[in-house]
Structures are given as structure tokens and as C-alpha cells.
Amino acid sequence: MEDNQLLNDDNQSYDKVLSRSIKTEMESSFLDYAMSVIVSRALPDVRDGLKPVHRRIIYAMNDIGLHADKQYRKSATVVGEVLGKYHPHGDSSVYDAMVRMAQDFSTRYPLVDGHGNFGSLDGDEPAAMRYTEAKMSKIAMMLVENLKEDTIDWTDNFDAREKEPTVLPSRYPNLLANGASGIAVGMATNIPPHNLGELIDGAVALIKNPDITIKELNENYIFGPDFPTGAYILGRSGIRSAFETGKGSIIMRAVSHIEQTKSGKNQIVVTEIPYQVNKTNLILKIAEIVKEKKIEGLTEIRDISNRNGIKIIIDLKKDANPEVVLNRLYKLTPLQSNFAVNSLSLVNGSPELLNLKQMLVYYLDHQREVILRRTKFRYKQAYDRAHILEGLQIALDNIDRVIEIIKSSSNDAEAIQSLKSEFDLSDIQGKAILDMRLGRLTGLARENIDSELATVHETMAYLQEILDNSYRLDQIIEEELLEIKNKYADKRRSQIITGDFDIEDEDLIPEESVVIMITKNGYVKRLPLDTYSVQNRGTQGKRGMSIHEDDEVEQLITMSSHAYLLAFSNKGKVYRLKGYQVPEASRTGKGLPVINLLQIDSDEKILSLKTISEFDDEHYMAVVTKKGLVKRTPLSEFSSINRNGKIAIKLNDGDEFYKAIETNGKADLIIASSNGYLVKFNEEYKEVEYEGEDGEIKTKFVGLRPSGRTSMGSKGITLTDGAEVVGFDSNLDGDYVFSITANGKGKVSSIDDYRLTKRGGKGVRTIKITEKNGELILVRCLSLDDDLLISTTNGMVNRVSVSSLRVMGRNTQGVNIINVKDDVVSSVSVVEKDLQGNDEDYNEEIVDLPNDSTLEDTPIETNEEESTSLDKEETK
């Protein structure tokens, strides 16, 4: 029987269990949780800009008397008050929020006046709450002003033993002034701080003109965020987007300048950093990218910041371009950061994404309610006081009868009732008369009552005017906002700058004509072209490079600092860099080892330099080897070259790369050999007809067939007696051929003096090789407007104007171009007219040397033997 009873009891308990889908339960429970987090933790209220924990901290400090004009008290006191009465969560959540409100680098207008260690911009943790002290800041008092005048609603705390405000009066727009950030469930807010003076000006403008546009607010009053750490704000597009839509990206950039030390080195000095950037992490990030070689030119980073401000010094190498280094730092480190604006806040308890005008409208609506409720509260106080004063006047007018009634009454209640009946008074008036002191019976006291009553009536009339007139209400708000502005507004800290901020390193480097030099031992340097002025033909020249005894200048090229420089090595590989990437050095400096600039092998050597402005399929890179093999490849195949380089031509054993030139596919090419011969042929690859030995018309291909980078080449010239190629050029570079020997003898001849022949022939003589002249060093095509930069193996450089050289026939020996003395010519570079710039010495008079006059028109022996027939196979 007991078992049956138990069974029946169990059945009755099961009948009380409600059946519910787990899906429905999870959805309902999660929604409740999400809304609790959104409303009670993560999002600020649009009216006072505070999240619950911040509001409770401010209210608790105000409630226990920690006002701005009072003494500090332990932070633990405030945390305990907040935890015990209003915020039943962890003490760290309360103290962390309190610390942030006290940090002047986190909060634009700190609401807590902290005393002690409240952390630092380096990410240092604040001291424990038992060591620090705090009180309300002066501006925080504006959040709770009029709090006790029935201006806001109140609600029960977590245990219904206390009351707490649902919102603070907030006499200034704190949401926009200090901003807010928080992560809720499925949503987040990130509102930047703004300048208080600008906000109040914007709010006043909105009061006067409710139809004002966001654009007008932005352009005339609220210019953008104003971060506590200062820094620059780049551009206005992100600001406009944030103001108009509630979302946008604000680009912040550190404030820095470049200084030069006494030793001539540059240093970057950072004085302001972007908002919410940890200074220590910033320095570590800079050190990290330097270690990873993502940025070069830095030698040391020093942080000498103090309580007066931030100062980070970044020392640079002497040859580093400070603008380029700074631009790279902006791109790779938090020196430039983004603030993602997401203006989400609570409106009537629900999250809404708001634009600038909406936030101001909701704030002003809140202020209208605060002022209206305050006015009603004060009106009621004035009315109650007037009611009492009127009762006192009646009593004084009938003082004898009043005294008689009081004396005849047995107790207070009877006296009050008798007074009410006799003079038609209220309970409040009867009690006030009963409590009236005898001192009020004097004439002066009577006058004071009459005067006070008149004042109260005036106050009531004033308050009634506010209640009856919305314009007067707005006027009060405007006056009080401007008063707060005068007390607490300060200057803007974040300067807004406009322009194109997506700057490449190249944009920061001035474009100029430069000279690039490479020595036999692999030292390279860059220097301005105007270092070398035009000199007389036959002079010795200037020191162009300080070199070692066993070294000599081998390559020299003029170019724009912004053009691409292709460097070809003896192994047939090509490397690419911009002209400005070659380190600049003084005229007598030896430069930098090229192995530090390019990823070349230890046994690899740069033999040829070529400048290119752009890469396309309509132009070609024609290359030749020292053994006379030649080929051409579309320029587009050289458009993408990494630091390790790419193959430019496949070489035979014992052969080396000599030179590369740019062609258009139809140019006349010249190839010259060191024994003084030159062959000229057209590069266009086409089919032609010819008459065979049997009289039949046959066809064959002539010219130079295009091939890929990794191919070998075709025979360009037939070499004899151990000669090597010393000249390779095209008529695209000029209609004249310049030849120069090792001992400085040279000449300029028309390219038309050289017969167009077949590719692969021996060629015709261009200059006679004698013991006095030395072997042929170089042959180039040029125009009469060009200049020549002639370098010797000992580093002497002479700049000669081509126009100073007489045009001679092919059958002449030439004149002294440079006085080499015990030196020999190593390289010649042509300075084209558009690279020459302004040269004050350019028009210097040219005087021929006496010993040259007998040589200019002296015929030389010619070899009219034409080129041998082409190989049957055009390409190896």
C-alpha cells in the first residue's frame, strides 16, 4: 500500500512538469541572456553616455560625498560601495572601469580624479585599489547636477533595498565627449571622443536650427573626433561616413618630425601617438620589423618620454632617407592606426545605430526632460513655500486671535484644527503657524516674510514661463551648455589634415638625374649628375670615386632616380631596383658593396647597367655576350624580377654577358669588337627573297628572331684574334657613333658611314688600333645634344659635351677626348639632353689641344671586307 502511495505521488509530480522544445528553450534563454548583456553591461545609454557600471561608480561616489572639492578616499571604498549596493559582479570589473575613467590617455575628459598609480600609456598595470585614492572630477559633477531634483527616474537595486538612477542628468553630451566601447552579444560599439567645445557649439546650433544637416554640423561646428593622445586624423572621408551613417574608419597617424644631429645623421622624433596604442608594444613592433629586414636604415630606438609628454627618438643611418623610413613606419607599425567607428547605443532600452545628428537630438530631448522636470520640482517647492508664507501673513494679521486660539487649545492637533476652521487654512499652514517663533512677531520679521513671498511669486512666474514656453526651455539649455563650455572646454588635440596619404616611398624622393657607378671589385654608389659639370675636351676630369689600389671603375650610367635600373651579371642574370635605392654617396666616397644591395653570389659580378622607364610587349631587351652572341626578348618578361634576380640569357662555357639595350623591334643594331671592327644590321626578323646560284628565287629569314629570357643567342659578330665585344647599341640612341680607346683617343662619326650588313659578319673597321691609342674600349650611339661621362680605372670622371667634338669620317683616327696620363679609360656613359638639367658650365668654350690638330683628318687603313655568310642555323 505504501508503494502504491509513492507511485501516485510520483505521478502527481510528473503532471506538474511542462513539456517544452529544447530549441524553443534555448532561443528564449539565449535571447534573455543577450538582452541582459546588451542593456545591463555592454552598451552606453545615448542620454548620459554611460554603461551601468560607470553610472553606478559615479552615483556611488556622489552618494558618499566624494565630490571634486572634497578629500580623496581609498579606491577600495568606492569599489566596496558599488559592489555592495548596485553592481553584484567581480571587484575587478568595477575597479578596471574606474581606472579607465581616471586615465587621461584613455578618457578625453576624465570623470574620476585619481591619486596614485593608475597605469600608464606603456600598458603598466595600475596599483591595487587598496593603494590608490580617488574622488569625482570637476566635470563629473556636471553629470549628477540636479540629480536630487526629480530630474530622472529611479529603480530598485539588485536586492530592492536601495534605489539607483536609471540615467544621470548629464548636463553635457558625455557620449560624444568621452566616447564609449563595448562588446555585447552579436553586436559591439566603438564611439570616439570629441572636443567638448565643438559638441556644445553643435548642440546649440541644432537648438537654433532643428533642420540643420549633418554636413553643416561637420563643416561648421563638430569637425571630427578629438582623441586624448592627440595625433593626426588623416582626411575627412572617414569622419563624414561616421557622422552620416554611424560607421566609418578614422585613420590616425603619430605626430613626428625629423631632426638632424650634430654628426649629420637624421633622427625621427615622435611626440604624439594614435589613440589606444600601447607605447611599449609600438617600440617592440618597430624593433621586430627592423629585425625581419622589412625596413632598413634604423640604428637605435630610444624612449625618453616623461610626465610632460611623449618623446620617442628613432636614430637613422647617415645614408637613410628619413621621409622614406617614416613612410615605411606608418605602413608597417601602429604609428598609423585605424579607429573603426560603430555608433551603437541604447535608445529607450533598445540598441540603435545612430548618426551624429540623432545622438545630439536624443541628448537634447533628454536635457529638455531634465530641465522640465527640474522646473516642475522647483515650481512645486516655490508653491509650497508661498503657501506657508501666506499662512504666516494671515497669522501675523490676526496675531491676537491666533494666540488666543493656541492658548485655549489642549494640544497641537486641536490648535491646528481650530486655526484651520477660524482662518480657512491648510494643515501645512496650521502647523507652520504653530511652529512660528515669537521673533517673527517683530516688524522686521514681518517685512522679511512679505519680501520673501514677493520673491517666491517672482520665481513661480519665471518657472511658469519656462513650463509654458518651449522656446524659453531651449534657451535655458543653451545658456547652461555655454556656461559649461566656458568652464571645461579646451583646445582640440587631434589635428585633422587633408591630402593624399597613400604615399609610396618613391613619392617622397625628389626625381633627379643621377649617376650610378660600379667598380671592378663590386662597389656601387649614386650621386647627383650635376656633381660633374661640362669640361674641356682633353682635360683630366674630376675625382669621381675613391677606390682601392687594386680596384677600378667599370660601369657608369646616368638615369632618373625614379627609373628602373636593370643590373646584368657575368652569369647572365638580371636584377632590378629603382635608381633611388642605390645608396647616395659623396663624389669621393667609395660606395656600398653591391652584394649588400642585390642577392648575387660571391663569385658573381655586375657587368652592365640599363635603365628602363616601363615594361611592355612592344619594346625589346637586346643583349649581347662578350663572344658576340646576340638576342632580343620582349621587355614584359623583365617586369617582375625579385631580389634573387632572373636569367637574362643562357651562356656557353667561357662566355660572359656584356651589355643590354632597349629596342623597338625595327632598329639598326651595332656590335663592335676590341680589335676595332663594327658590324651594323637591322633587328627586324622578316622573310626576304634572293636569287640562288642556280638562278632560282629563294627565301630566307634575316634579322634577329625574338626569344625568351632563358634562351641562348644567335651570332651577332664574327670575332678574330681573341677579340671581345666592346660596343653594343642602336640608332634609337642617336645617329652618331662614338668610339674611344684605352688611352683616351676617340671620335664621333655618322652612323650612315657604316654599311648595313648581315648579322654575324666580321664588320668594317671603326678605328685603328695602335700602341699609342690602345685597344678599343667602347663604342656607343649618341646624338650631338648629349654629354659624355668618361671614367678611368682610377676613378677620374670627365664630362664632355658631344657638340664640342667635330664629326669625322669613319676613316679617321680621332682626337684626345680625355687626358689619362698613366691611367686608362674604363667606361663611358651618355647623358641624354633631358637628363642634363641646368649646368652653369655647359656653355664653356671648347679649345682643341694643339697635338690633336694633325690627327683629326688623318685617314686610317680600312678593311672593306664584308661580313661572312650567316650560319644556317640562326639560333643556337
Side-chain angles (χ1 to χ4, degrees), residues 399-610:
I399 188 62
D400 294 333
R401 178 60 182 153
V402 168
I403 293 173
E404 183 180 343
I405 292 173
I406 294 174
K407 287 174 65 177
S408 61
S409 299
S410 59
N411 53 49
D412 290 351
E414 183 181 345
I416 292 173
Q417 188 61 39
S418 298
L419 290 171
K420 287 173 59 179
S421 301
E422 181 76 19
F423 301 107
D424 193 19
L425 302 174
S426 66
D427 289 340
I428 296 175
Q429 289 175 321
K431 187 175 186 306
I433 293 172
L434 196 63
D435 294 336
M436 184 176 61
R437 295 181 294 108
L438 291 176
R440 288 293 187 96
L441 299 179
T442 65
L444 180 61
R446 173 60 186 263
E447 290 179 4
N448 289 341
I449 291 175
D450 293 341
S451 175
E452 183 182 357
L453 182 59
T455 302
V456 171
H457 282 152
E458 289 177 4
T459 302
M460 291 175 61
Y462 169 74
L463 296 174
Q464 188 63 49
E465 179 187 3
I466 297 174
L467 295 174
D468 295 339
N469 191 336
S470 60
Y471 171 78
R472 189 72 182 100
L473 180 68
D474 286 345
Q475 196 175 31
I476 295 297
I477 296 174
E478 178 183 339
E479 291 171 356
E480 294 185 357
L481 282 174
L482 292 175
E483 184 180 350
I484 292 174
K485 175 188 173 182
N486 293 333
K487 283 185 178 180
Y488 302 107
D490 55 6
K491 293 182 179 179
R492 165 172 281 276
R493 297 182 187 177
S494 296
Q495 183 181 352
I496 302 171
I497 56 178
T498 58
D500 182 11
F501 303 106
D502 188 14
I503 302 175
E504 298 297 330
D505 295 345
E506 183 175 301
D507 299 331
L508 300 169
I509 299 173
E511 186 169 3
E512 60 180 347
S513 300
V514 297
V515 178
I516 307 293
M517 290 182 174
I518 295 185
T519 69
K520 178 181 177 181
N521 289 345
Y523 283 86
V524 62
K525 76 171 183 177
R526 166 176 60 92
L527 64 164
L529 176 61
D530 56 14
T531 303
Y532 304 102
S533 59
V534 176
Q535 296 176 275
N536 289 339
R537 169 178 61 80
T539 57
Q540 187 175 358
K542 296 180 180 179
R543 171 66 62 184
M545 200 169 190
S546 177
I547 56 178
H548 298 291
E549 292 183 0
D550 60 343
D551 202 2
E552 60 187 53
V553 176
E554 278 197 339
Q555 298 294 323
L556 180 147
I557 188 172
T558 59
M559 63 181 296
S560 166
S561 58
H562 283 199
Y564 283 103
L565 179 66
L566 297 183
F568 296 85
S569 75
N570 59 330
K571 293 186 176 182
K573 293 181 69 176
V574 59
Y575 303 85
R576 190 180 78 167
L577 68 163
K578 284 293 186 81
Y580 61 78
Q581 291 177 312
V582 178
E584 185 174 2
S586 65
R587 184 170 59 85
T588 57
K590 69 178 182 179
L592 178 78
V594 72
I595 197 170
N596 293 347
L597 191 63
L598 302 174
Q599 297 291 329
I600 63 175
D601 297 333
S602 57
D603 60 343
E604 196 171 3
K605 181 180 175 183
I606 300 300
L607 294 181
S608 178
L609 300 174
K610 178 62 184 174

Side-chain angles (χ1 to χ4, degrees), residues 57 61 75 78-79 94-102 112 118 134:
I57 291 171
M61 295 179 78
S75 299
V78 179
V79 174
V94 176
Y95 188 53
D96 289 347
M98 182 177 168
V99 164
R100 184 173 175 81
M101 287 194 291
V112 173
F118 277 82

Side-chain angles (χ1 to χ4, degrees), residues 33 46 56 304 332 334 408 490 565 609 614 645 652 731 734 854:
Y33 163 73
V46 70
R56 288 163 178 166
I304 58 174
L332 299 176
S408 61
D490 55 6
L565 179 66
L609 300 174
E614 55 182 297
N652 289 325
N731 63 340
T854 58

Side-chain angles (χ1 to χ4, degrees), residues 57 62 66 112 155 270 285 366 377 571 598 654 701 752 849:
I57 291 171
N62 180 68
L66 286 182
V112 173
T155 186
V270 180
K285 180 63 177 179
H366 173 57
F377 177 83
K571 293 186 176 182
L598 302 174
F701 286 93
D752 294 333
L849 297 180

Side-chain angles (χ1 to χ4, degrees), residues 49 51 71 91 128 131 151 186 216 264 375 411 429 435 452 467 492 562 609 629 631 635 710 739 767 772 777 810 848:
K51 293 191 280 188
Q71 290 185 343
D91 58 354
Y131 299 119
T151 52
E216 290 172 334
T375 303
N411 53 49
Q429 289 175 321
D435 294 336
E452 183 182 357
L467 295 174
R492 165 172 281 276
H562 283 199
L609 300 174
L629 294 182
K631 76 165 188 175
L635 268 180
T710 57
S739 307
I767 198 167
K772 183 178 180 180
I777 291 296
R810 184 175 63 82
D848 289 345

